[in-house]
Amino acid sequence: MVVNQGGAYASYWKAHGILMGLAWGFFAPVAIVAAVCRRLIPGEGVWFQVHRAMNTLCCLFTIAGFSLAVVAYNGTGISHFSGTHQAVGLSIFVVVIIQVVGGALRPHLPTASSKDLPGTTQHNGSDEEEAKPSDEEETSKPQKTTVRLAWEVGHRLAGLSLLGLGLYNGYSGLKLYAMRTGNTSDYTNVWWGWLGTILGLALVYSMYDRFLSNKSK
């Protein structure tokens, strides 16, 4: 069944799909893989630069894609956020902005010099603190503050939740676009094949890395 909700705005839907597909089918997964597989990325701090750049691009593409959808809905007179795909998209739009802003305003790690000053924690605006190899953190870095630990947990949970919502909405968006245009293929097999491969490999590496870390203790 073909549901014509495009007309003059058909190009808007296509551009919306491309932008959101890149945001949640490429930028977001690469950002997470860069953090999980940081030991495999050569150069001190390169993983963090990749992680931050991919998250920023994901946010910008999400804003652009969301804006195109709103314009198209206004132009066609269709009710806003009336379906699951649209409601999830709105949630992603709001939370991803909060996530990126929260990452930029994160509580920084204490500096090494603060070890000698009991009860004090020094911070700076540099991203170098995020780039230290994780196996050095236990011995060379002072204790993380409660605020920092809470932020790390919240940041990771929000990131994984966003990724899950983004993967679902990418899938539902492909199905929706195929229904609207009458395409016989919705390419969801390509979507899940690519994402399952890259995220699956990252998960396997994460488990292997944790095993080696526990074995060395």
Side-chain angles (χ1 to χ4, degrees):
M1 179 179 66
V2 179
V3 181
N4 185 8
Q5 295 184 354
Y9 291 92
S11 60
Y12 282 63
W13 299 124
K14 183 177 292 186
H16 166 80
I18 292 173
L19 289 170
M20 291 301 200
L22 286 171
W24 298 101
F26 184 76
F27 296 137
V30 170
I32 290 179
V33 170
V36 171
C37 303
R38 65 186 68 180
R39 295 178 193 267
L40 296 179
I41 301 176
E44 183 174 325
V46 174
W47 77 266
F48 180 71
Q49 300 301 327
V50 172
H51 178 75
R52 182 173 60 180
M54 292 297 101
N55 277 329
T56 301
L57 287 171
C58 177
C59 181
L60 293 175
F61 274 53
T62 298
I63 293 172
F66 181 85
S67 300
L68 284 175
V70 170
V71 171
Y73 274 118
N74 285 336
T76 54
I78 304 172
S79 176
H80 288 277
F81 314 119
S82 57
T84 302
H85 176 82
Q86 294 80 2
V88 172
L90 175 60
S91 300
I92 291 172
F93 172 75
V94 173
V95 178
V96 75
I97 293 176
I98 296 173
Q99 178 79 335
V100 170
V101 173
L105 301 178
R106 67 193 179 281
H108 290 283
L109 292 168
T111 60
S113 60
S114 64
K115 285 185 185 178
D116 303 324
L117 299 173
T120 64
T121 301
Q122 297 180 2
H123 305 290
N124 56 51
S126 173
D127 294 323
E128 293 179 0
E129 62 190 19
E130 307 291 342
K132 300 293 184 182
S134 56
D135 55 354
E136 294 179 3
E137 292 176 357
E138 297 293 333
T139 58
S140 63
K141 284 191 175 182
Q143 185 94 19
K144 293 179 181 179
T145 64
T146 302
V147 174
R148 172 70 189 205
L149 289 172
W151 174 85
E152 288 185 358
V153 172
H155 185 72
R156 290 167 184 169
L157 289 177
L160 290 174
S161 298
L162 275 171
L163 180 63
L165 290 173
L167 296 186
Y168 165 77
N169 242 30
Y171 164 77
S172 63
L174 287 169
K175 301 284 286 187
L176 186 60
Y177 185 77
M179 181 187 70
R180 286 173 173 170
T181 59
N183 289 341
T184 56
S185 176
D186 53 28
Y187 300 104
T188 54
N189 55 334
V190 177
W191 177 257
W192 290 123
W194 152 251
L195 291 169
T197 299
I198 185 173
L199 294 176
L201 290 174
L203 177 61
V204 170
Y205 172 78
S206 176
M207 296 171 63
Y208 175 71
D209 184 61
R210 185 174 293 274
F211 169 77
L212 290 182
S213 297
N214 292 334
K215 188 176 181 180
S216 63
K217 289 181 179 179

